[in-house]
């Protein structure tokens, strides 16, 4: 298993172009199940979760063509589509459940492994199944598999999600795109990646209209036309790189995303003392000499502060002058990085879903263990400002969602190398 060896402290300076968004590309790839015609996607990040999704599409008998740089993907239909989603693949990425809506909507049936939980929580799929059922999907669960059918296809309906869920919103939008009649989805998640999904489907002829802040109307169509589409930039990678500049007191120009999309995060970074200039599809950030603490940050659904940046922001606040508190409101177990940060010298106390961060930590290099995607990248940020050498094990967690992160960081002055 690969590990990272990182020497600190270092200050980063230069330009970084971020990759395409993993969390936009995944639902868009799942939505290609609705197409009989070819689809070409550009700016797809070359990360493990995307490879997993491509393996899944190949398993369904889709034909996949990948460009040399692996960032352009062509998906072709085939005569004999398999509508079986095996546990062997779904256990490596629970997000594969968003293929269920497309399979049932297009082919009227699917057998899908019931997804496992993962490090950050149990991650149930009740809202997915409730919504698909309201669209006419019948299912029973046997031996860890969901046997789903929709004999006469799916039928539009009015659905209000009990709780805001990114995946359940995506699954329902995909399923409703070919359902007969009108669907109104209320209390939807509105992450930018979901807007990218609806933009992708609309540009292929789906009839989708956002008619309220969290309400979307979908009128089913017969079929979708062939399209070329460019996936949006990764907002979590952008936020992560901005925090890298903030924590090292460095200067970074980050290209590839409209800064307005991450206004909440950037405003919070300004509160810690960073200076941030918004450009067209780029951000310039000047890290502060002294990092200010923030009394309380709560993770919320978009447009609130994202849970996917919680670990990275906590690392920054360890270096702030004074106490900060972060409340994690989305996942029940998303503080795995705390133990590892404490090994570097962080003073953090956990109380239920709150982390109390004392600040003024002097990080000393140490051996660290990755646990989940975002916790791992928080350790990279911490190691970059720790005195001495750190080793971060099991970086395959990182490879799930960050494309060549060590190359990007080394190019702007970080002393990081991958050791296989
Ligand atoms: C998506 O996960 C993202 N993954 C996550 O990013 C992100 O953290 C999360 O949204 C929240 O923003 C992808 O887009 C591939 P949810 P998802 O359904 O869809 C509970 C990363 O690091 N829930 O909005 O699984 C659930 O347990 C990943 O890139 C139910 O109870 O998130 C969680 O507590 C990590 N029943 C909360 O809702 C359901 O049916 C939010 O989950 C569905 C969800």
């Amino acid at each position: 298993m690969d590990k990272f060896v990182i020497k600190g402290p270092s200050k980063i300076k230069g330009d970084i172009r971020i990759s395409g968004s993993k969390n936009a590309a995944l639902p868009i790839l799942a939505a290609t199940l609705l197409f009989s015609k070819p689809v070409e996607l550009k700016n797809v990040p070359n990360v493990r979760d995307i490879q997993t999704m491509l393996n899944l599409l190949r398993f369904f008998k889709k034909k996949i063509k990948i460009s040399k740089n692996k960032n352009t993907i062509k998906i072709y239909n085939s005569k004999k589509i398999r509508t079986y989603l095996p546990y062997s693949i779904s256990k490596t990425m629970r997000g594969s459940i968003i293929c269920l809506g497309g399979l049932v909507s297009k082919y009227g049936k699917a057998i899908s492994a019931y997804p496992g939980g993962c490090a950050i929580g149990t991650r149930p799929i009740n809202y997915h199944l409730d919504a698909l059922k309201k669209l006419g999907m019948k299912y029973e669960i046997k031996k860890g598999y969901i046997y789903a059918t929709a004999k006469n296809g799916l039928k539009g309906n009015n659905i209000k999600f009990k709780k805001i869920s990114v995946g359940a919103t995506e699954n329902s939008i995909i399923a409703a795109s070919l359902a007969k009649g009108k669907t109104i989805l209320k209390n939807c998640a509105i992450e930018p990646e979901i807007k990218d999904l609806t933009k992708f489907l609309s540009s292929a002829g789906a009839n989708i209209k956002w008619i309220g802040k969290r309400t979307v109307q979908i009128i089913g169509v017969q079929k979708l036309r062939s399209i070329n589409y460019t996936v949006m930039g990764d907002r979590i990678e952008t936020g992560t790189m901005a925090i890298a500049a903030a924590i090292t007191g460095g200067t970074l120009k980050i290209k590839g995303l409209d800064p307005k999309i991450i206004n909440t995060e950037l405003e919070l970074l300004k509160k810690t003392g960073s200076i941030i200039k918004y450009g067209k599809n780029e951000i310039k950030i000047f890290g502060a000499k002294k990092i200010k603490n923030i009394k309380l940050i709560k993770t919320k659904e978009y447009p609130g502060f994202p849970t996917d940046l919680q670990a990275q922001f906590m690392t920054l606040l360890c270096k702030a002058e004074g106490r900060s508190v972060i409340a994690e409101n989305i996942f029940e177990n998303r503080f795995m990085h705390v133990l590892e940060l404490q090994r570097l010298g962080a003073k953090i106390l956990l109380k239920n879903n709150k982390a109390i961060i004392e600040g003024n930590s002097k990080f000393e290099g140490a051996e660290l263990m990755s646990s989940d995607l975002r916790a791992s990248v928080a350790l990279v940020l911490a190691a970059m400002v720790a005195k001495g050498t750190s080793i971060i094990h099991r970086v395959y967690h990182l490879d799930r969602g960050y494309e060549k992160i060590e190359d990007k960081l080394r190019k702007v002055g970080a002393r990081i190398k991958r050791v296989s």
Side-chain angles (χ1 to χ4, degrees):
M1 287 193 222
D2 289 5
K3 56 190 174 199
F4 280 161
V5 178
I6 300 174
K7 287 193 171 37
S10 52
K11 184 178 274 224
I12 60 176
K13 187 173 171 34
D15 295 7
I16 281 184
R17 169 160 290 284
I18 52 137
S19 298
S21 163
K22 156 179 100 76
N23 289 353
L26 287 172
I28 286 172
L29 283 165
T32 62
L33 287 164
L34 299 173
F35 288 69
S36 310
K37 298 262 181 359
V39 173
E40 178 169 289
L41 299 176
K42 289 194 170 64
N43 200 33
V44 179
N46 175 21
V47 295
R48 254 159 39 93
D49 276 3
I50 296 295
Q51 301 315 327
T52 303
M53 181 59 89
L54 293 177
N55 290 339
L56 197 45
L57 291 176
R58 286 190 191 93
F59 188 87
F60 295 140
K61 299 270 181 247
K62 285 281 190 180
K63 293 208 177 15
I64 306 281
K65 254 208 197 124
I66 303 184
S67 66
K68 257 205 300 312
N69 68 6
K70 296 208 167 59
N71 297 130
T72 300
I73 315 273
K74 259 200 122 158
I75 301 106
Y76 301 85
N77 204 18
S78 72
K79 293 262 168 306
K80 185 83 198 78
I81 287 285
R82 189 156 39 174
T83 58
Y84 162 61
L85 199 165
Y87 182 62
S88 56
I89 300 185
S90 92
K91 72 175 189 299
T92 58
M93 186 180 69
R94 54 161 321 280
S96 44
I97 192 66
I98 50 171
C99 295
L100 182 60
L103 287 172
V104 175
S105 187
K106 176 83 176 166
Y107 300 100
K109 63 181 168 51
I111 298 176
S112 161
Y114 203 93
C118 72
I120 58 177
T122 48
R123 304 186 73 180
I125 57 166
N126 50 322
Y127 305 139
H128 297 242
L129 297 175
D130 294 352
L132 294 173
K133 194 168 162 206
K134 288 206 178 91
L135 292 172
M137 179 182 90
K138 304 244 175 304
Y139 71 93
E140 56 173 344
I141 296 166
K142 276 185 309 201
K143 298 200 190 88
Y145 276 80
I146 304 162
Y147 291 77
T149 55
K151 286 226 170 18
N152 319 316
L154 295 176
K155 226 162 106 10
N157 201 345
N158 293 337
I159 296 165
K160 184 171 176 10
F161 293 106
K162 273 208 224 61
K163 193 168 168 265
I164 293 170
S165 158
V166 170
T169 302
E170 291 166 344
N171 230 335
S172 309
I173 288 170
I174 293 171
S177 295
L178 297 188
K180 289 181 198 61
K182 182 191 286 189
T183 296
I184 306 264
L185 301 176
K186 288 194 171 142
N187 201 29
C188 293
I190 52 172
E191 269 65 4
E193 294 76 28
I194 292 179
K195 300 297 177 98
D196 212 32
L197 171 66
T198 53
K199 199 169 137 229
F200 163 73
L201 286 167
S202 308
S203 57
N207 183 336
I208 302 177
K209 229 162 74 208
W210 289 91
I211 56 174
K213 182 175 182 238
R214 292 188 181 278
T215 305
V216 65
Q217 173 189 281
I218 301 142
I219 299 176
V221 294
Q222 292 289 330
K223 61 182 181 341
L224 298 168
R225 53 176 177 270
S226 188
I227 48 157
N228 290 3
Y229 188 79
T230 300
V231 173
M232 68 178 277
D234 192 309
R235 74 186 159 102
I236 302 302
E237 182 183 16
T238 307
T240 303
M241 293 305 183
I243 294 171
I247 199 169
T248 59
T251 309
L252 261 190
K253 187 187 277 186
I254 308 166
K255 301 176 185 168
L257 185 88
D258 172 1
K260 289 194 293 302
I261 285 183
I262 55 168
N263 201 41
T264 303
E265 301 85 313
L266 295 180
E267 285 308 310
L268 272 174
L269 271 179
K270 284 185 196 165
K271 273 179 81 173
T272 66
S274 294
I275 294 167
I276 297 176
K277 298 211 172 334
Y278 285 32
K280 187 163 175 7
N281 238 23
E282 65 179 40
I283 299 164
K284 182 122 192 184
I285 171 158
F286 303 83
K289 288 214 177 4
K290 293 199 171 358
I291 298 164
K292 293 191 198 100
N293 61 316
I294 297 186
K295 290 252 164 313
L296 174 64
I297 296 181
K298 295 179 186 162
T299 64
K300 285 204 200 85
E301 295 86 0
Y302 195 86
F305 181 76
T307 174
D308 290 352
L309 275 179
Q310 178 256 104
Q312 300 91 316
F313 218 92
M314 183 186 291
T315 304
L316 175 67
L317 293 173
C318 289
K319 307 296 285 176
E321 295 185 328
R323 174 182 292 190
S324 310
V325 176
I326 295 185
E328 171 53 62
N329 298 316
I330 304 291
F331 287 107
E332 66 266 31
N333 180 28
R334 204 168 194 177
F335 284 141
M336 256 84 56
H337 44 287
V338 170
L339 261 181
E340 298 308 305
L341 291 173
Q342 286 168 335
R343 294 164 60 74
L344 283 165
K347 298 185 281 300
I348 304 168
L349 185 71
L350 291 183
K351 259 163 96 177
N352 306 324
N353 73 325
K354 284 194 180 59
I356 297 135
I357 304 127
E358 281 315 319
N360 295 305
S361 302
K362 301 257 169 296
F363 287 159
E364 299 272 324
E367 287 221 44
L368 304 163
M369 190 62 78
S370 311
S371 52
D372 64 277
L373 168 58
R374 308 301 173 181
S376 321
V377 84
L379 301 182
V380 171
L381 298 176
M384 278 164 50
V385 293
K387 208 152 69 23
T389 304
S390 299
I391 298 178
I392 300 179
H393 294 279
R394 296 192 189 160
V395 290
Y396 63 82
H397 287 290
L398 251 165
D399 295 336
R400 291 191 56 166
Y402 288 95
E403 182 176 9
K404 301 192 197 93
I405 190 164
E406 72 271 26
D407 299 348
K408 287 173 179 161
L409 288 171
R410 196 172 30 246
K411 228 182 74 204
V412 291
R415 287 176 289 159
I416 176 171
K417 72 177 189 316
R418 179 184 289 255
V419 172
S420 297

